C-alpha cells in the first residue's frame, strides 16, 4: 500500500506541475497602457523580443515605451525612479558628449559592460556575475558624479532602435543598476534608475523584488503597434 500511495503521489506531483504552470500563465495579464497604475498581479510584455512576465503591485505605474524594444515601469513610492527593459543591438556612442559619434559594436553582454565601465563620466562599481530566471549576465552599479566638461545635459551611452530620441543616457548625480542579460543571443538590459535627488536604496529594494519574480521566454522582436494619432476635428 505504501508503494502504491507513493506512486500515486508521484503522479499527482507530475500532473500538478504543468497545472501550476498553466495557472501561472493564465494569471499573467498583458501590460496595460502608459499611465496605468497596476493592480497587484502578474503581467507580461514582449516589446523587447523575449517575453517578460513579472509580479507588480499598486506601487508601480506603466511608463512610456516608444515604438521600439523598450518598456518602463515607474515607482510611485519614490517619484523619479524607473525600471526599464530594453535591448542592446550594438549601437553605442564613442564620445558621450557627441551625438554624431554613434558606432556599431558587437552586441554582447561583455561589450556593453565594457562600454559602461569605461565611460569617463561614470563611476561604476565592479561587475558581478548574475542570473535572472536562468539567463546569465552581468550587473553593474553606476553613479554619475557632477561633470563640467560635457556640453550636453546628460551622458550618452548607447542607442535604442526607436528612431529619434532613442538615446540611453545618464545624468549628473543619478544612481543606477544595470542588469545585462544574454537571452539566447538577445542582449537585454534591465535598468534600475533613480534620478538626481531621489533616494536610491528603498527603490532598489522594491525593484530587486520585482526582478526576482521575472520569468523570461525567448522570442523574436515584434514592433508594437504605433500609438494612433488623435483625430483631427474640422471646423463647421
Amino acid at each position: 500500500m505504501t508503494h502504491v500511495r507513493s506512486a500515486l503521489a508521484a503522479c499527482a506531483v507530475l500532473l500538478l506541475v504543468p497545472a501550476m504552470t498553466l495557472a501561472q500563465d493564465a494569471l499573467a495579464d498583458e501590460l496595460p497602457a502608459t499611465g496605468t497604475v497596476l493592480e497587484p498581479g502578474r503581467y507580461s510584455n514582449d516589446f523587447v523580443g523575449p517575453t517578460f512576465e513579472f509580479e507588480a503591485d499598486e506601487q508601480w505605474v506603466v511608463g512610456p515605451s516608444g515604438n521600439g524594444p523598450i518598456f518602463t515601469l515607474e515607482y510611485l513610492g519614490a517619484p523619479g525612479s524607473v525600471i526599464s527593459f530594453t535591448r542592446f543591438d550594438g549601437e553605442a556612442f564613442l564620445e558621450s558628449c557627441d551625438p554624431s559619434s554613434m558606432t556599431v559594436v558587437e552586441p554582447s553582454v561583455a561589450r556593453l559592460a565594457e562600454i559602461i565601465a569605461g565611460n569617463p563620466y561614470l563611476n561604476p562599481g565592479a561587475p558581478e556575475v548574475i542570473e535572472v530566471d536562468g539567463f546569465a549576465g552581468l550587473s553593474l552599479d553606476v553613479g554619475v558624479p557632477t561633470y563640467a566638461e560635457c556640453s550636453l545635459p546628460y551622458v550618452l551611452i548607447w542607442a535604442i532602435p526607436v528612431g529619434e530620441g532613442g538615446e540611453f543616457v545618464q545624468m549628473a548625480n543619478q544612481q543606477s543598476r544595470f542588469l545585462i542579460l544574454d537571452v539566447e543571443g538577445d542582449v537585454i538590459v534591465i535598468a534600475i534608475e533613480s534620478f538626481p535627488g531621489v533616494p536610491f536604496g528603498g527603490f532598489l529594494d522594491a525593484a530587486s523584488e520585482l526582478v526576482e519574480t521575472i520569468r523570461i521566454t525567448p522570442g523574436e522582436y515584434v514592433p508594437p503597434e504605433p500609438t494612433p494619432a488623435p483625430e483631427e476635428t474640422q471646423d463647421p
Side-chain angles (χ1 to χ4, degrees):
M1 184 66 72
T2 303
H3 294 296
V4 172
R5 286 179 178 173
S6 298
L8 289 174
C11 289
V13 170
L14 290 173
L15 291 171
L16 181 60
V17 171
M20 289 175 64
T21 302
L22 289 172
Q24 187 180 63
D25 290 343
L27 289 173
D29 295 324
E30 184 177 344
L31 196 67
T34 298
T36 304
V37 177
L38 297 179
E39 296 182 0
R42 246 185 126 69
Y43 296 89
S44 68
N45 184 281
D46 61 359
F47 281 6
V48 300
T51 297
F52 280 81
E53 184 182 321
F54 54 89
E55 294 180 10
D57 58 23
E58 68 281 356
Q59 290 291 328
W60 296 94
V61 59
V62 182
S65 60
N67 295 321
I70 182 173
F71 69 95
T72 64
L73 301 171
E74 299 173 358
Y75 187 57
L76 295 176
S81 299
V82 63
I83 179 170
S84 62
F85 300 74
T86 187
R87 197 180 69 234
F88 174 62
D89 288 353
E91 295 180 326
F93 292 93
L94 294 177
E95 299 291 339
S96 294
C97 298
D98 182 2
S100 68
S101 69
M102 190 174 70
T103 188
V104 179
V105 301
E106 175 194 6
S108 69
V109 170
R111 188 69 180 96
L112 182 55
E114 182 181 54
I115 289 170
I116 295 172
N119 190 298
Y121 295 96
L122 305 181
N123 184 19
E128 295 183 6
V129 176
I130 58 167
E131 280 193 1
V132 176
D133 192 30
F135 293 96
L138 295 172
S139 171
L140 285 92
D141 287 348
V142 174
V144 188
T146 301
Y147 50 83
E149 301 86 355
C150 186
S151 59
L152 299 176
Y154 45 72
V155 174
L156 298 165
I157 305 178
W158 77 87
I160 304 166
V162 297
E164 187 177 352
E167 299 88 358
F168 203 101
V169 305
Q170 296 284 274
M171 302 171 64
N173 301 314
Q174 181 177 347
Q175 290 182 280
S176 304
R177 172 171 292 179
F178 295 104
L179 310 178
I180 312 170
L181 306 174
D182 185 332
V183 181
E184 295 191 359
D186 282 324
V187 181
I188 302 300
V189 184
I190 304 173
I192 301 169
E193 306 174 89
S194 67
F195 292 96
V198 179
F200 189 57
F203 166 62
L204 178 61
D205 292 341
S208 298
E209 289 179 6
L210 187 150
V211 169
E212 289 176 1
T213 72
I214 286 176
R215 297 294 176 265
I216 306 172
T217 303
E220 184 177 354
Y221 170 63
V222 178
E225 290 292 332
T227 303
E231 295 183 3
E232 294 185 3
T233 58
Q234 295 182 349
D235 295 331

